[in-house]
Amino acid sequence: MTTTHDTDLTPGAAVRLVAGREISTRLRSKPFLWTTLALVAAVVLAGVVAGLVGNREPEPQVVGVVADASAVADPLVATAQAAGVPVEVRDVDGTDEGEDLVTSGDVDVLVTGVDPALTVVVQDSVPEPLQPVLASLAQQVALAGAVTDLGGDPAEVAVEVAGATPSVTTLGSPPEVDGAQIIAGYLAGILLFIGLMTAGQLVAQGVVEEKTSRVVELLLATVRPWHLMAGKVLGIGIIGLAQVALVVLAGGGTAWAFGLLDTTTLDLGATAAWALVWFVIGFLMYALLLAALAALVSRQEDVGSVISPVLFVMGIPYVLAISVTPWDPDNALVTALSFVPFCAPMIMPVRVALGAVETWEVLLAAGLSLALVPFLVWFAGRVYANAVLHSGGRMKLTDALRGTPTAV
């Protein structure tokens, strides 16, 4: 089939025309809009839950102490503080009153005596948070008895023992990964995988839709094949980037609103910026490849067979990004693959969120991936131009590269 092209339409104008058509089509697509809304809602909900759970102070354990055991109050508080257990000590006049408080639930544990050993009263069992506290306190009471026999001050010794901590010398640099970094790493990996896969499949499906409806023949009467492919990739890329940026903005705004960044070493700005950069790089590579492969077939049911190898390759770094990288960002395999094109867009953003890479490493990985783009442009342009008008059965990739005439 021969096509004629409007010579008045410059390459830039042709690409912009096709890109604008893709953008307007996707913005009118209800599935795309609902998917975007669902992603934003999921990220915001996760931030709200994390904020509510993280900002909720644990209820203090109420411990009643009778007058005869009042000497244990200070060591009890010190021991609980050392164990990170919030405790509220309540003075109780007598055992009978204390037992009534335990029965009513106003007091969790009642300390009734310290001589010769620590004795407590509970309703059913000692609350789990208080078990190590009372065990340590019982040991201190026993020690205090021995100190008394030697003529020392047991109360002073008990407080010092409760607050005693080991002096630790580290020979290496401890990892500085915190919970917020791990969560951000997970979200970055998952979001980029979903965004790249969704946008890449939109490109592939769009190519086949135009071939199936014969719209491509009308379009090629006005624009050249590479104009059509470039415009399609650009338009869907802009829509995909906007979708990812909206989700990132929603997640970052929620985290800021609930104060989730107040006590973390996470660099949210760098994490968000690099996530967007890596989406652009990853989309360029995958979309060009998927557009070329999709042009080999003429039916929607055949799309999966030609793009499944690419999706499989995409899944390998994704699995590593969310299963190994958050816990071991310096793993040898993870580190190596974070510099490999097609793998870097999934792994490197997670390592950035974890603070495990220097800026020069990220720039090097980005440079290596971008260096592959010119080849992908040539490859995709050649395959697309030779295969986009092919109809019928699946066209061989070697034939598309050679431009071998095929019956249409």
Side-chain angles (χ1 to χ4, degrees), residues 198-223:
T198 301
Q201 288 180 319
L202 284 177
V203 171
Q205 291 169 359
V207 169
V208 180
E209 284 174 2
E210 291 174 350
K211 291 186 65 174
T212 303
S213 63
R214 316 293 286 191
V215 171
V216 66
E217 297 177 9
L218 299 176
L219 293 174
L220 290 179
T222 305
V223 299

Side-chain angles (χ1 to χ4, degrees), residues 142-154 157:
L143 177 62
V147 171
T148 300
D149 294 339
L150 295 175
D153 184 351
V157 171

Side-chain angles (χ1 to χ4, degrees), residues 133-175:
V133 175
L134 294 179
S136 178
L137 189 61
Q139 295 171 358
Q140 295 174 43
V141 169
L143 177 62
V147 171
T148 300
D149 294 339
L150 295 175
D153 184 351
E156 181 179 343
V157 171
V159 172
E160 291 183 1
V161 169
T165 58
S167 176
V168 179
T169 300
T170 58
L171 299 180
S173 300

Side-chain angles (χ1 to χ4, degrees), residues 41-365:
V43 170
V44 171
L45 180 61
V48 171
V49 172
L52 294 177
V53 173
N55 294 332
R56 187 172 57 190
E57 294 292 336
E59 291 291 331
Q61 300 290 319
V62 181
V63 179
V65 178
V66 300
D68 293 342
S70 59
V72 84
D74 290 340
L76 171 63
V77 173
T79 303
Q81 288 178 344
V85 178
V87 167
E88 177 186 332
V89 176
R90 179 180 298 184
D91 294 328
V92 179
D93 292 337
T95 301
D96 292 339
E97 178 187 346
E99 290 179 350
D100 291 339
L101 292 173
V102 171
T103 302
S104 65
D106 294 328
V107 168
D108 297 304
V109 173
L110 175 67
V111 179
T112 58
V114 293
D115 188 15
L118 180 69
T119 56
V120 299
V121 175
V122 296
Q123 180 65 29
D124 298 311
S125 61
V126 177
E128 186 175 348
L130 285 176
Q131 290 177 4
V133 175
L134 294 179
S136 178
L137 189 61
Q139 295 171 358
Q140 295 174 43
V141 169
L143 177 62
V147 171
T148 300
D149 294 339
L150 295 175
D153 184 351
E156 181 179 343
V157 171
V159 172
E160 291 183 1
V161 169
T165 58
S167 176
V168 179
T169 300
T170 58
L171 299 180
S173 300
E176 297 183 355
V177 177
D178 59 27
Q181 287 179 309
I182 293 176
I183 293 174
Y186 271 117
L187 292 178
I190 294 172
L191 177 61
L192 284 174
F193 177 73
I194 293 176
L196 290 175
M197 176 169 283
T198 301
Q201 288 180 319
L202 284 177
V203 171
Q205 291 169 359
V207 169
V208 180
E209 284 174 2
E210 291 174 350
K211 291 186 65 174
T212 303
S213 63
R214 316 293 286 191
V215 171
V216 66
E217 297 177 9
L218 299 176
L219 293 174
L220 290 179
T222 305
V223 299
R224 296 184 182 279
W226 77 267
H227 296 163
L228 183 58
M229 185 193 69
K232 184 176 293 294
V233 170
L234 177 61
I236 295 179
I238 291 174
I239 286 293
L241 179 61
Q243 184 184 56
V244 172
L246 185 59
V247 175
V248 169
L249 181 62
T254 305
W256 174 81
F258 281 90
L260 299 179
L261 306 176
D262 295 343
T263 58
T264 177
T265 57
L266 171 68
D267 189 340
L268 182 61
T271 300
W274 278 115
L276 297 178
V277 169
W278 279 110
F279 173 82
V280 173
I281 295 174
F283 177 77
L284 278 175
M285 293 190 295
Y286 282 109
L288 288 169
L289 196 55
L290 291 172
L293 295 178
L296 299 175
V297 298
S298 304
R299 300 183 304 171
Q300 285 291 346
E301 51 265 35
D302 295 331
V303 175
S305 63
V306 292
I307 68 173
S308 56
V310 179
L311 299 183
F312 176 77
V313 170
M314 186 185 297
I316 295 174
Y318 168 68
V319 171
L320 286 173
I322 65 170
S323 63
V324 178
T325 310
W327 310 107
D328 189 9
D330 295 323
N331 177 278
L333 178 60
V334 168
T335 300
L337 290 180
S338 66
F339 291 94
V340 176
F342 291 108
C343 295
M346 236 74 67
I347 298 177
M348 189 57 81
V350 180
R351 298 188 70 206
V352 170
L354 297 169
V357 289
E358 300 292 338
T359 302
W360 69 266
E361 294 179 279
V362 188
L363 293 174
L364 175 60

